[in-house]
Amino acid sequence: MTRKLRTAADRVNDKHEWFLRIAEVVATRSSCARRAVGAVIVDEVGYILSTGYNGPARGQPNCTETPCAGAHAAPGTELDACIAIHAEVNAIAQARSIKEARALYCSVSPCVACAKILSNLPNLKRVFFRELYATPQAIQHLQAVGIRSFLVKGQRQYAEVKVVEGEIRQVAVAPDDVD
């Protein structure tokens, strides 16, 4: 039996794409009926400090088995009816040293409540995500405190996301401008 050797095409060369793929795998642990979200927090070297996914607190029933009151609400609405703790919050709660956090990778951009929490992390500089959340307030908040937000569209394909005159704008950026 011959073994097929891996080639350069088999490797994910883009660290941001790689971390987002990890966040997407982490999201598969979610027990939220509404949406599965995963988060990965890394330090300045690129070591993973923690991961988190959304779901109810310990001891509460999983929403995938017993949907909560917010399970059928539209994205960005009725957040108080949802019992899930967000992926970003769970990742922060599980981090060994949150002061070392430099970047957050999340399958979906943060909501405004998570953006407020993230803005209190003293060394967080960048947030990367695959999908934009329903409302622009979170991006606007991160922008106001100097945390850059990036939509990752694929390997070495990024758009910096900003709020200009109340609307979300995406500006393509070169890979070197992301790091």
Side-chain angles (χ1 to χ4, degrees), residues 109-112 115 127 129 132-133 135-144 147 149-150 161-163 168-169:
S109 64
C111 70
V112 70
V127 173
F129 45 86
L132 273 166
Y133 190 68
T135 60
Q137 288 87 356
I139 299 296
Q140 193 168 21
H141 182 79
L142 293 172
Q143 182 178 322
I147 298 173
S149 299
F150 296 95
V161 179
K162 294 183 177 186
V163 176
I168 291 180
R169 303 276 165 87

Side-chain angles (χ1 to χ4, degrees), residues 41 88 92 104 110 113-122 124 127 142 147:
I41 297 175
E88 303 93 325
I92 289 167
L104 169 82
C114 288
K116 289 176 183 179
I117 293 167
L118 293 169
S119 69
N120 247 2
L121 303 183
L124 189 71
V127 173
L142 293 172
I147 298 173

Side-chain angles (χ1 to χ4, degrees), residues 62-78:
N62 289 332
C63 288
T64 50
E65 296 165 11
T66 307
C68 71
H72 299 291
T77 65
E78 299 184 46

Side-chain angles (χ1 to χ4, degrees), residues 49-103:
L49 298 174
S50 68
T51 63
Y53 53 88
N54 62 325
R58 284 188 185 100
Q60 290 190 315
N62 289 332
C63 288
T64 50
E65 296 165 11
T66 307
C68 71
H72 299 291
T77 65
E78 299 184 46
L79 297 180
D80 290 337
C82 179
I83 65 168
I85 298 168
H86 289 193
E88 303 93 325
V89 173
N90 277 324
I92 289 167
Q94 296 172 40
R96 67 175 188 258
S97 176
I98 204 60
K99 291 178 183 176
E100 296 176 29
R102 294 296 190 282

